[in-house]
PDB file of all heavy atoms in Angstrom:
ATOM      1  N   SER A   1     -82.599  36.279 -28.070  1.00 93.00           N
ATOM      2  CA  SER A   1     -81.523  36.582 -28.958  1.00 93.00           C
ATOM      3  C   SER A   1     -82.007  36.558 -30.363  1.00 93.00           C
ATOM      4  O   SER A   1     -82.809  35.752 -30.714  1.00 93.00           O
ATOM      5  CB  SER A   1     -80.309  35.635 -28.734  1.00 93.00           C
ATOM      6  OG  SER A   1     -79.315  35.956 -29.642  1.00 93.00           O
ATOM      7  N   ILE A   2     -81.448  37.418 -31.205  1.00 94.00           N
ATOM      8  CA  ILE A   2     -81.702  37.422 -32.589  1.00 94.00           C
ATOM      9  C   ILE A   2     -80.349  37.353 -33.341  1.00 94.00           C
ATOM     10  O   ILE A   2     -79.475  38.019 -33.050  1.00 94.00           O
ATOM     11  CB  ILE A   2     -82.398  38.732 -33.087  1.00 94.00           C
ATOM     12  CG1 ILE A   2     -83.806  38.885 -32.345  1.00 94.00           C
ATOM     13  CG2 ILE A   2     -82.594  38.812 -34.566  1.00 94.00           C
ATOM     14  CD1 ILE A   2     -84.473  40.140 -32.746  1.00 94.00           C
ATOM     15  N   ASN A   3     -80.362  36.384 -34.258  1.00 93.00           N
ATOM     16  CA  ASN A   3     -79.151  36.215 -35.200  1.00 93.00           C
ATOM     17  C   ASN A   3     -79.392  37.119 -36.390  1.00 93.00           C
ATOM     18  O   ASN A   3     -79.778  38.202 -36.352  1.00 93.00           O
ATOM     19  CB  ASN A   3     -78.852  34.771 -35.374  1.00 93.00           C
ATOM     20  CG  ASN A   3     -78.357  34.103 -34.112  1.00 93.00           C
ATOM     21  OD1 ASN A   3     -77.737  34.693 -33.283  1.00 93.00           O
ATOM     22  ND2 ASN A   3     -78.732  32.833 -33.943  1.00 93.00           N
ATOM     23  N   ALA A   4     -79.150  36.429 -37.520  1.00 94.00           N
ATOM     24  CA  ALA A   4     -79.333  37.101 -38.804  1.00 94.00           C
ATOM     25  C   ALA A   4     -80.861  37.475 -39.002  1.00 94.00           C
ATOM     26  O   ALA A   4     -81.697  36.780 -38.603  1.00 94.00           O
ATOM     27  CB  ALA A   4     -78.789  36.247 -39.946  1.00 94.00           C
ATOM     28  N   MET A   5     -80.958  38.610 -39.653  1.00 96.00           N
ATOM     29  CA  MET A   5     -82.273  39.030 -40.187  1.00 96.00           C
ATOM     30  C   MET A   5     -82.250  39.115 -41.658  1.00 96.00           C
ATOM     31  O   MET A   5     -81.143  39.423 -42.284  1.00 96.00           O
ATOM     32  CB  MET A   5     -82.642  40.413 -39.548  1.00 96.00           C
ATOM     33  CG  MET A   5     -82.720  40.272 -37.994  1.00 96.00           C
ATOM     34  SD  MET A   5     -83.266  41.869 -37.227  1.00 96.00           S
ATOM     35  CE  MET A   5     -85.052  41.632 -37.460  1.00 96.00           C
ATOM     36  N   ALA A   6     -83.372  38.966 -42.257  1.00 98.00           N
ATOM     37  CA  ALA A   6     -83.319  38.990 -43.739  1.00 98.00           C
ATOM     38  C   ALA A   6     -84.673  39.391 -44.308  1.00 98.00           C
ATOM     39  O   ALA A   6     -85.679  39.530 -43.622  1.00 98.00           O
ATOM     40  CB  ALA A   6     -83.121  37.533 -44.201  1.00 98.00           C
ATOM     41  N   TRP A   7     -84.668  39.709 -45.618  1.00 98.00           N
ATOM     42  CA  TRP A   7     -85.845  40.009 -46.361  1.00 98.00           C
ATOM     43  C   TRP A   7     -85.978  39.041 -47.507  1.00 98.00           C
ATOM     44  O   TRP A   7     -84.986  38.720 -48.266  1.00 98.00           O
ATOM     45  CB  TRP A   7     -85.744  41.489 -46.952  1.00 98.00           C
ATOM     46  CG  TRP A   7     -85.926  42.617 -45.962  1.00 98.00           C
ATOM     47  CD1 TRP A   7     -84.961  43.200 -45.323  1.00 98.00           C
ATOM     48  CD2 TRP A   7     -87.120  43.139 -45.459  1.00 98.00           C
ATOM     49  NE1 TRP A   7     -85.514  44.147 -44.415  1.00 98.00           N
ATOM     50  CE2 TRP A   7     -86.846  44.101 -44.560  1.00 98.00           C
ATOM     51  CE3 TRP A   7     -88.466  42.838 -45.776  1.00 98.00           C
ATOM     52  CZ2 TRP A   7     -87.805  44.815 -43.866  1.00 98.00           C
ATOM     53  CZ3 TRP A   7     -89.493  43.572 -45.103  1.00 98.00           C
ATOM     54  CH2 TRP A   7     -89.134  44.591 -44.245  1.00 98.00           C
ATOM     55  N   TYR A   8     -87.199  38.624 -47.739  1.00 98.00           N
ATOM     56  CA  TYR A   8     -87.636  37.837 -48.803  1.00 98.00           C
ATOM     57  C   TYR A   8     -88.741  38.481 -49.606  1.00 98.00           C
ATOM     58  O   TYR A   8     -89.334  39.420 -49.035  1.00 98.00           O
ATOM     59  CB  TYR A   8     -88.008  36.467 -48.454  1.00 98.00           C
ATOM     60  CG  TYR A   8     -86.913  35.566 -47.922  1.00 98.00           C
ATOM     61  CD1 TYR A   8     -86.272  35.720 -46.714  1.00 98.00           C
ATOM     62  CD2 TYR A   8     -86.509  34.430 -48.755  1.00 98.00           C
ATOM     63  CE1 TYR A   8     -85.279  34.918 -46.351  1.00 98.00           C
ATOM     64  CE2 TYR A   8     -85.509  33.616 -48.263  1.00 98.00           C
ATOM     65  CZ  TYR A   8     -84.859  33.828 -47.112  1.00 98.00           C
ATOM     66  OH  TYR A   8     -83.830  33.045 -46.668  1.00 98.00           O
ATOM     67  N   ARG A   9     -89.059  38.017 -50.827  1.00 98.00           N
ATOM     68  CA  ARG A   9     -90.165  38.567 -51.457  1.00 98.00           C
ATOM     69  C   ARG A   9     -90.759  37.397 -52.304  1.00 98.00           C
ATOM     70  O   ARG A   9     -90.172  36.457 -52.629  1.00 98.00           O
ATOM     71  CB  ARG A   9     -89.853  39.673 -52.401  1.00 98.00           C
ATOM     72  CG  ARG A   9     -88.931  39.376 -53.593  1.00 98.00           C
ATOM     73  CD  ARG A   9     -88.568  40.666 -54.309  1.00 98.00           C
ATOM     74  NE  ARG A   9     -87.747  40.313 -55.464  1.00 98.00           N
ATOM     75  CZ  ARG A   9     -87.175  41.284 -56.296  1.00 98.00           C
ATOM     76  NH1 ARG A   9     -87.224  42.528 -55.952  1.00 98.00           N
ATOM     77  NH2 ARG A   9     -86.499  40.904 -57.385  1.00 98.00           N
ATOM     78  N   GLN A  10     -92.090  37.618 -52.604  1.00 98.00           N
ATOM     79  CA  GLN A  10     -92.843  36.597 -53.374  1.00 98.00           C
ATOM     80  C   GLN A  10     -93.736  37.340 -54.343  1.00 98.00           C
ATOM     81  O   GLN A  10     -94.722  38.029 -53.847  1.00 98.00           O
ATOM     82  CB  GLN A  10     -93.545  35.646 -52.417  1.00 98.00           C
ATOM     83  CG  GLN A  10     -94.220  34.517 -53.218  1.00 98.00           C
ATOM     84  CD  GLN A  10     -94.691  33.389 -52.232  1.00 98.00           C
ATOM     85  OE1 GLN A  10     -94.866  33.640 -51.057  1.00 98.00           O
ATOM     86  NE2 GLN A  10     -94.818  32.241 -52.700  1.00 98.00           N
ATOM     87  N   ALA A  11     -93.439  37.140 -55.636  1.00 97.00           N
ATOM     88  CA  ALA A  11     -94.394  37.702 -56.578  1.00 97.00           C
ATOM     89  C   ALA A  11     -95.475  36.671 -56.921  1.00 97.00           C
ATOM     90  O   ALA A  11     -95.344  35.513 -56.645  1.00 97.00           O
ATOM     91  CB  ALA A  11     -93.563  37.976 -57.893  1.00 97.00           C
ATOM     92  N   PRO A  12     -96.596  37.156 -57.478  1.00 92.00           N
ATOM     93  CA  PRO A  12     -97.681  36.284 -57.767  1.00 92.00           C
ATOM     94  C   PRO A  12     -97.302  35.037 -58.671  1.00 92.00           C
ATOM     95  O   PRO A  12     -96.662  35.261 -59.688  1.00 92.00           O
ATOM     96  CB  PRO A  12     -98.636  37.193 -58.482  1.00 92.00           C
ATOM     97  CG  PRO A  12     -98.402  38.515 -57.948  1.00 92.00           C
ATOM     98  CD  PRO A  12     -96.904  38.545 -57.753  1.00 92.00           C
ATOM     99  N   GLY A  13     -97.657  33.898 -58.282  1.00 94.00           N
ATOM    100  CA  GLY A  13     -97.318  32.689 -59.030  1.00 94.00           C
ATOM    101  C   GLY A  13     -95.900  32.232 -58.916  1.00 94.00           C
ATOM    102  O   GLY A  13     -95.545  31.311 -59.644  1.00 94.00           O
ATOM    103  N   LYS A  14     -95.135  32.859 -58.143  1.00 96.00           N
ATOM    104  CA  LYS A  14     -93.649  32.506 -58.054  1.00 96.00           C
ATOM    105  C   LYS A  14     -93.291  32.069 -56.643  1.00 96.00           C
ATOM    106  O   LYS A  14     -93.978  32.325 -55.655  1.00 96.00           O
ATOM    107  CB  LYS A  14     -92.801  33.754 -58.461  1.00 96.00           C
ATOM    108  CG  LYS A  14     -93.012  34.161 -59.952  1.00 96.00           C
ATOM    109  CD  LYS A  14     -92.034  35.260 -60.325  1.00 96.00           C
ATOM    110  CE  LYS A  14     -92.215  35.701 -61.688  1.00 96.00           C
ATOM    111  NZ  LYS A  14     -91.283  36.822 -62.092  1.00 96.00           N
ATOM    112  N   GLN A  15     -92.113  31.439 -56.592  1.00 97.00           N
ATOM    113  CA  GLN A  15     -91.619  30.970 -55.310  1.00 97.00           C
ATOM    114  C   GLN A  15     -91.013  32.111 -54.473  1.00 97.00           C
ATOM    115  O   GLN A  15     -90.627  33.137 -55.075  1.00 97.00           O
ATOM    116  CB  GLN A  15     -90.478  29.917 -55.530  1.00 97.00           C
ATOM    117  CG  GLN A  15     -90.123  29.124 -54.321  1.00 97.00           C
ATOM    118  CD  GLN A  15     -91.040  27.968 -54.077  1.00 97.00           C
ATOM    119  OE1 GLN A  15     -92.310  28.114 -54.088  1.00 97.00           O
ATOM    120  NE2 GLN A  15     -90.524  26.813 -53.961  1.00 97.00           N
ATOM    121  N   ARG A  16     -91.072  32.000 -53.171  1.00 97.00           N
ATOM    122  CA  ARG A  16     -90.506  33.009 -52.313  1.00 97.00           C
ATOM    123  C   ARG A  16     -88.925  33.193 -52.632  1.00 97.00           C
ATOM    124  O   ARG A  16     -88.313  32.152 -52.724  1.00 97.00           O
ATOM    125  CB  ARG A  16     -90.712  32.749 -50.846  1.00 97.00           C
ATOM    126  CG  ARG A  16     -90.377  33.921 -49.940  1.00 97.00           C
ATOM    127  CD  ARG A  16     -90.971  33.669 -48.549  1.00 97.00           C
ATOM    128  NE  ARG A  16     -92.432  33.692 -48.561  1.00 97.00           N
ATOM    129  CZ  ARG A  16     -93.162  33.694 -47.505  1.00 97.00           C
ATOM    130  NH1 ARG A  16     -92.604  33.628 -46.319  1.00 97.00           N
ATOM    131  NH2 ARG A  16     -94.485  33.700 -47.594  1.00 97.00           N
ATOM    132  N   GLU A  17     -88.480  34.343 -52.830  1.00 98.00           N
ATOM    133  CA  GLU A  17     -87.157  34.636 -53.235  1.00 98.00           C
ATOM    134  C   GLU A  17     -86.384  35.403 -52.151  1.00 98.00           C
ATOM    135  O   GLU A  17     -86.831  36.345 -51.559  1.00 98.00           O
ATOM    136  CB  GLU A  17     -87.225  35.469 -54.487  1.00 98.00           C
ATOM    137  CG  GLU A  17     -85.882  36.012 -55.042  1.00 98.00           C
ATOM    138  CD  GLU A  17     -86.035  37.018 -56.208  1.00 98.00           C
ATOM    139  OE1 GLU A  17     -87.203  37.478 -56.353  1.00 98.00           O
ATOM    140  OE2 GLU A  17     -85.046  37.233 -56.903  1.00 98.00           O
ATOM    141  N   PHE A  18     -85.157  34.978 -51.921  1.00 98.00           N
ATOM    142  CA  PHE A  18     -84.294  35.662 -50.977  1.00 98.00           C
ATOM    143  C   PHE A  18     -83.858  36.979 -51.591  1.00 98.00           C
ATOM    144  O   PHE A  18     -83.448  37.140 -52.772  1.00 98.00           O
ATOM    145  CB  PHE A  18     -83.018  34.857 -50.667  1.00 98.00           C
ATOM    146  CG  PHE A  18     -81.916  35.563 -50.121  1.00 98.00           C
ATOM    147  CD1 PHE A  18     -81.856  35.843 -48.756  1.00 98.00           C
ATOM    148  CD2 PHE A  18     -80.858  35.981 -50.864  1.00 98.00           C
ATOM    149  CE1 PHE A  18     -80.926  36.510 -48.250  1.00 98.00           C
ATOM    150  CE2 PHE A  18     -79.771  36.703 -50.289  1.00 98.00           C
ATOM    151  CZ  PHE A  18     -79.758  36.944 -48.970  1.00 98.00           C
ATOM    152  N   ILE A  19     -83.869  38.007 -50.791  1.00 98.00           N
ATOM    153  CA  ILE A  19     -83.456  39.376 -51.170  1.00 98.00           C
ATOM    154  C   ILE A  19     -82.162  39.782 -50.583  1.00 98.00           C
ATOM    155  O   ILE A  19     -81.214  40.192 -51.180  1.00 98.00           O
ATOM    156  CB  ILE A  19     -84.560  40.334 -50.964  1.00 98.00           C
ATOM    157  CG1 ILE A  19     -85.737  40.064 -51.704  1.00 98.00           C
ATOM    158  CG2 ILE A  19     -84.089  41.746 -51.278  1.00 98.00           C
ATOM    159  CD1 ILE A  19     -85.553  39.976 -53.309  1.00 98.00           C
ATOM    160  N   ALA A  20     -82.081  39.754 -49.190  1.00 98.00           N
ATOM    161  CA  ALA A  20     -80.949  40.345 -48.516  1.00 98.00           C
ATOM    162  C   ALA A  20     -80.953  39.788 -47.093  1.00 98.00           C
ATOM    163  O   ALA A  20     -82.020  39.491 -46.482  1.00 98.00           O
ATOM    164  CB  ALA A  20     -80.981  41.852 -48.553  1.00 98.00           C
ATOM    165  N   THR A  21     -79.833  39.710 -46.498  1.00 98.00           N
ATOM    166  CA  THR A  21     -79.658  39.345 -45.158  1.00 98.00           C
ATOM    167  C   THR A  21     -78.526  40.172 -44.477  1.00 98.00           C
ATOM    168  O   THR A  21     -77.612  40.597 -45.177  1.00 98.00           O
ATOM    169  CB  THR A  21     -79.328  37.836 -44.992  1.00 98.00           C
ATOM    170  OG1 THR A  21     -79.317  37.427 -43.672  1.00 98.00           O
ATOM    171  CG2 THR A  21     -77.971  37.481 -45.573  1.00 98.00           C
ATOM    172  N   ILE A  22     -78.579  40.259 -43.166  1.00 97.00           N
ATOM    173  CA  ILE A  22     -77.581  41.003 -42.438  1.00 97.00           C
ATOM    174  C   ILE A  22     -77.366  40.239 -41.117  1.00 97.00           C
ATOM    175  O   ILE A  22     -78.324  39.889 -40.356  1.00 97.00           O
ATOM    176  CB  ILE A  22     -78.015  42.432 -42.223  1.00 97.00           C
ATOM    177  CG1 ILE A  22     -76.995  43.272 -41.470  1.00 97.00           C
ATOM    178  CG2 ILE A  22     -79.381  42.505 -41.378  1.00 97.00           C
ATOM    179  CD1 ILE A  22     -77.196  44.757 -41.515  1.00 97.00           C
ATOM    180  N   SER A  23     -76.133  40.070 -40.758  1.00 95.00           N
ATOM    181  CA  SER A  23     -75.748  39.373 -39.579  1.00 95.00           C
ATOM    182  C   SER A  23     -75.775  40.334 -38.359  1.00 95.00           C
ATOM    183  O   SER A  23     -75.976  41.535 -38.478  1.00 95.00           O
ATOM    184  CB  SER A  23     -74.364  38.806 -39.730  1.00 95.00           C
ATOM    185  OG  SER A  23     -73.354  39.815 -39.744  1.00 95.00           O
ATOM    186  N   THR A  24     -75.574  39.730 -37.117  1.00 90.00           N
ATOM    187  CA  THR A  24     -75.520  40.501 -35.971  1.00 90.00           C
ATOM    188  C   THR A  24     -74.428  41.586 -35.975  1.00 90.00           C
ATOM    189  O   THR A  24     -74.491  42.628 -35.447  1.00 90.00           O
ATOM    190  CB  THR A  24     -75.377  39.658 -34.763  1.00 90.00           C
ATOM    191  OG1 THR A  24     -74.213  38.795 -34.904  1.00 90.00           O
ATOM    192  CG2 THR A  24     -76.682  38.821 -34.580  1.00 90.00           C
ATOM    193  N   GLY A  25     -73.348  41.203 -36.701  1.00 91.00           N
ATOM    194  CA  GLY A  25     -72.167  42.092 -36.866  1.00 91.00           C
ATOM    195  C   GLY A  25     -72.231  43.093 -37.929  1.00 91.00           C
ATOM    196  O   GLY A  25     -71.360  43.907 -38.115  1.00 91.00           O
ATOM    197  N   GLY A  26     -73.293  42.985 -38.774  1.00 94.00           N
ATOM    198  CA  GLY A  26     -73.499  43.943 -39.813  1.00 94.00           C
ATOM    199  C   GLY A  26     -73.131  43.492 -41.230  1.00 94.00           C
ATOM    200  O   GLY A  26     -73.121  44.232 -42.166  1.00 94.00           O
ATOM    201  N   SER A  27     -72.585  42.212 -41.369  1.00 96.00           N
ATOM    202  CA  SER A  27     -72.168  41.695 -42.623  1.00 96.00           C
ATOM    203  C   SER A  27     -73.485  41.429 -43.404  1.00 96.00           C
ATOM    204  O   SER A  27     -74.443  40.916 -42.944  1.00 96.00           O
ATOM    205  CB  SER A  27     -71.442  40.399 -42.452  1.00 96.00           C
ATOM    206  OG  SER A  27     -71.128  39.880 -43.685  1.00 96.00           O
ATOM    207  N   THR A  28     -73.439  41.834 -44.699  1.00 98.00           N
ATOM    208  CA  THR A  28     -74.632  41.670 -45.559  1.00 98.00           C
ATOM    209  C   THR A  28     -74.328  40.816 -46.791  1.00 98.00           C
ATOM    210  O   THR A  28     -73.220  40.670 -47.244  1.00 98.00           O
ATOM    211  CB  THR A  28     -75.065  43.083 -46.074  1.00 98.00           C
ATOM    212  OG1 THR A  28     -74.001  43.703 -46.733  1.00 98.00           O
ATOM    213  CG2 THR A  28     -75.450  44.016 -44.855  1.00 98.00           C
ATOM    214  N   ASN A  29     -75.462  40.247 -47.278  1.00 98.00           N
ATOM    215  CA  ASN A  29     -75.465  39.524 -48.580  1.00 98.00           C
ATOM    216  C   ASN A  29     -76.713  39.981 -49.355  1.00 98.00           C
ATOM    217  O   ASN A  29     -77.818  40.137 -48.703  1.00 98.00           O
ATOM    218  CB  ASN A  29     -75.373  38.084 -48.345  1.00 98.00           C
ATOM    219  CG  ASN A  29     -74.053  37.546 -48.071  1.00 98.00           C
ATOM    220  OD1 ASN A  29     -73.094  37.805 -48.804  1.00 98.00           O
ATOM    221  ND2 ASN A  29     -73.938  36.904 -46.923  1.00 98.00           N
ATOM    222  N   TYR A  30     -76.602  40.007 -50.600  1.00 98.00           N
ATOM    223  CA  TYR A  30     -77.759  40.436 -51.486  1.00 98.00           C
ATOM    224  C   TYR A  30     -77.889  39.482 -52.601  1.00 98.00           C
ATOM    225  O   TYR A  30     -76.937  38.875 -53.113  1.00 98.00           O
ATOM    226  CB  TYR A  30     -77.501  41.852 -52.081  1.00 98.00           C
ATOM    227  CG  TYR A  30     -77.445  42.898 -50.958  1.00 98.00           C
ATOM    228  CD1 TYR A  30     -76.211  43.297 -50.482  1.00 98.00           C
ATOM    229  CD2 TYR A  30     -78.566  43.599 -50.554  1.00 98.00           C
ATOM    230  CE1 TYR A  30     -76.086  44.313 -49.496  1.00 98.00           C
ATOM    231  CE2 TYR A  30     -78.503  44.613 -49.642  1.00 98.00           C
ATOM    232  CZ  TYR A  30     -77.279  44.942 -49.117  1.00 98.00           C
ATOM    233  OH  TYR A  30     -77.186  45.949 -48.201  1.00 98.00           O
ATOM    234  N   ALA A  31     -79.170  39.336 -53.061  1.00 98.00           N
ATOM    235  CA  ALA A  31     -79.461  38.649 -54.255  1.00 98.00           C
ATOM    236  C   ALA A  31     -78.895  39.468 -55.412  1.00 98.00           C
ATOM    237  O   ALA A  31     -78.934  40.693 -55.392  1.00 98.00           O
ATOM    238  CB  ALA A  31     -80.925  38.427 -54.402  1.00 98.00           C
ATOM    239  N   ASP A  32     -78.493  38.781 -56.485  1.00 98.00           N
ATOM    240  CA  ASP A  32     -77.915  39.474 -57.646  1.00 98.00           C
ATOM    241  C   ASP A  32     -78.913  40.483 -58.274  1.00 98.00           C
ATOM    242  O   ASP A  32     -78.514  41.527 -58.753  1.00 98.00           O
ATOM    243  CB  ASP A  32     -77.483  38.503 -58.720  1.00 98.00           C
ATOM    244  CG  ASP A  32     -76.278  37.770 -58.351  1.00 98.00           C
ATOM    245  OD1 ASP A  32     -75.503  38.211 -57.443  1.00 98.00           O
ATOM    246  OD2 ASP A  32     -76.015  36.638 -58.960  1.00 98.00           O
ATOM    247  N   SER A  33     -80.215  40.167 -58.199  1.00 97.00           N
ATOM    248  CA  SER A  33     -81.207  40.972 -58.771  1.00 97.00           C
ATOM    249  C   SER A  33     -81.351  42.341 -58.123  1.00 97.00           C
ATOM    250  O   SER A  33     -81.933  43.296 -58.761  1.00 97.00           O
ATOM    251  CB  SER A  33     -82.601  40.238 -58.820  1.00 97.00           C
ATOM    252  OG  SER A  33     -83.030  40.002 -57.399  1.00 97.00           O
ATOM    253  N   VAL A  34     -80.897  42.475 -56.902  1.00 98.00           N
ATOM    254  CA  VAL A  34     -81.058  43.763 -56.167  1.00 98.00           C
ATOM    255  C   VAL A  34     -79.792  44.428 -55.881  1.00 98.00           C
ATOM    256  O   VAL A  34     -79.782  45.543 -55.235  1.00 98.00           O
ATOM    257  CB  VAL A  34     -81.934  43.589 -54.904  1.00 98.00           C
ATOM    258  CG1 VAL A  34     -83.256  42.981 -55.347  1.00 98.00           C
ATOM    259  CG2 VAL A  34     -81.234  42.763 -53.890  1.00 98.00           C
ATOM    260  N   LYS A  35     -78.581  43.816 -56.097  1.00 98.00           N
ATOM    261  CA  LYS A  35     -77.300  44.400 -55.770  1.00 98.00           C
ATOM    262  C   LYS A  35     -77.172  45.790 -56.332  1.00 98.00           C
ATOM    263  O   LYS A  35     -77.465  45.951 -57.533  1.00 98.00           O
ATOM    264  CB  LYS A  35     -76.226  43.544 -56.139  1.00 98.00           C
ATOM    265  CG  LYS A  35     -75.949  42.266 -55.313  1.00 98.00           C
ATOM    266  CD  LYS A  35     -74.851  41.437 -55.793  1.00 98.00           C
ATOM    267  CE  LYS A  35     -74.585  40.195 -54.913  1.00 98.00           C
ATOM    268  NZ  LYS A  35     -73.559  39.365 -55.354  1.00 98.00           N
ATOM    269  N   GLY A  36     -76.696  46.731 -55.632  1.00 97.00           N
ATOM    270  CA  GLY A  36     -76.492  48.053 -56.100  1.00 97.00           C
ATOM    271  C   GLY A  36     -77.708  48.938 -56.031  1.00 97.00           C
ATOM    272  O   GLY A  36     -77.640  50.140 -56.257  1.00 97.00           O
TER     273      GLY A  36
END
């Protein structure tokens, strides 16, 4: 089984950052930096 799936990113010298996630039902959340 797979629950939520997500994307993260990590720039050089920086901490890994949350980008977006999507639930099994299709509900999504985005980081403010990438919304829109």
